[in-house]
Amino acid sequence: MQQRRRHLANRLASAMARALGGDAAAGVILILVALTAVLAANSPLAHAYHALFHDPLTGSPIPKLSTLHHWINDGLMAVFFFTVGLEIKRELLGGELSSPARRRLPVLAAAAGMAVPALVFLAVAGNAPDLQRGWAIPAATDIAFAVGVLALLGNRVPPSLRLFLLTVAIVDDLGAVAIIAVFYTAQIALGWLVASAAFLAGLVALGQLKTTRPLPYLLLAMAMWYCMLHSGVHATVAGVLAAFAIPLKTHDSGDSLLLRMEHALVPWNAYLIVPLFGFANAGVSLGGLGFAGLLAPLPLAIAAGLFVGKQAGIFGAILLAERTGFARLPEGASRLQLWGLALLCGIGFTMSLFIGALAFPAHPLLVEEAKLGVLAGSLASALLGFAVLRWAPRAR
């Protein structure tokens, strides 16, 4: 009996090690963070939870960032976007997006995976003018969540499928950044914007001078972020632009500043910034909503965009590429596995919550409804995507 218990304990420990190791760790942490936030927002701690993030801070050094929520969404998330920008540049110049043949399928799938969810959202939300600003909420994929779920499946999924998911998510992130910059920009303050451009030019000049120390880049990037914060363009865009100015080229010593920065920031992103953002933004109050609340136009449109639109757009693009010979499919992956991957792309947690807050800044109730739609659509996509990939036969 004791030996059997020991074997059971060993199996549980092995399962936990697999769940919390490698790529799965970030996804598991995000799942736990989202559950904790929802529980906190629907418990006796709800008032303390909302006060923690939304009550004014005493003595904030930047008046525009008057709450902890602002510091997380406009400050820490700029670091998240900076890391995303480093990854995008690396992939564009030397990775899976560096050649036209490699770019074709991920770019087509990502574009369809952003356009179709937006169309589904608009079709479901109807002609309500106060809801139309949310069209981009279901267009984004959460790379940490999706890759984490994929990692839980172990070797049941071919490596080419994981690589394809990463490249689609990278193109998706680039599209989301462009959407934020173009469609969710407030009134422009030209002087601040010109100052941002000047600091960006300074970053580019540092690269041309082959500066390898990170401190000058970081100082100019922080100055550009501060100016962007006051310019009307969302401050997180500064993170991506600054990342694009970091040189990737390997120097004579074999050192690359971009790779050093990316490797240093990825753990902070995965284990601090994104979970903290998730905890601050996923806490939706379910009191009085029930099933009828989920069927309200905004949550239903977002959930349908993520669950229906994402899989229809991405899987449809994959089938179209195969039929027309436009691009080669990932090696060793069956059609059923590709459908499961398209389902996982419907997990829109981090970026969707972020865009939801930008879409309805003056309507807290709509932001809460958007959170409900994001959580419902992401959960349905994760569960069905996991089930399909778990039971899909491996390609011959």
Side-chain angles (χ1 to χ4, degrees), residues 105 146-147 150 153 156-168 318 329-342 344-345 385 388-389 392:
L105 187 58
V147 172
L150 203 63
L153 293 160
R156 296 194 63 85
V157 177
S160 62
L161 210 59
R162 178 186 177 277
L163 188 60
F164 180 66
L165 173 63
L166 287 171
T167 50
V168 168
I318 290 172
L329 300 187
E331 186 178 352
S334 66
R335 287 188 180 181
L336 195 56
Q337 287 176 322
L338 289 168
W339 176 46
L341 182 82
L344 288 188
C345 289
V388 169
L389 290 170

Side-chain angles (χ1 to χ4, degrees), residues 280-307:
N281 288 272
V284 56
S285 176
L286 304 176
L289 287 176
F291 189 69
L294 185 59
L295 295 180
L298 182 59
L300 183 61
I302 294 172
L306 286 171
F307 182 67

Side-chain angles (χ1 to χ4, degrees), residues 52-57 65-73 276:
L52 172 65
F53 293 110
H54 297 284
D55 280 4
L57 295 172
L65 304 182
S66 58
T67 66
L68 182 57
H69 188 264
H70 285 149
W71 273 102
I72 293 170
N73 283 29
L276 187 58

Side-chain angles (χ1 to χ4, degrees), residues 220-246:
L220 286 178
M222 290 173 65
M224 184 174 74
W225 166 81
Y226 182 82
C227 294
M228 193 76 77
L229 178 69
H230 295 83
S231 71
V233 179
H234 200 270
T236 52
V237 176
V240 178
L241 294 178
F244 287 170
I246 304 299

Side-chain angles (χ1 to χ4, degrees), residues 137-156:
I137 297 173
T141 295
D142 190 294
I143 187 170
F145 239 133
V147 172
V149 173
L150 203 63
L152 293 174
L153 293 160
N155 60 5
R156 296 194 63 85

Side-chain angles (χ1 to χ4, degrees), residues 58-107:
T58 55
S60 175
I62 301 178
K64 198 170 180 67
L65 304 182
S66 58
T67 66
L68 182 57
H69 188 264
H70 285 149
W71 273 102
I72 293 170
N73 283 29
D74 295 343
L76 282 181
M77 285 302 284
V79 180
F80 166 79
F81 279 93
F82 179 76
T83 311
V84 168
L86 294 176
E87 185 177 14
I88 290 172
K89 181 173 181 177
R90 172 174 54 79
E91 292 293 339
L92 285 172
L93 296 183
E96 288 302 311
L97 301 175
S98 59
S99 68
R102 289 179 173 182
R103 283 195 293 263
R104 285 176 189 166
L105 187 58
V107 170

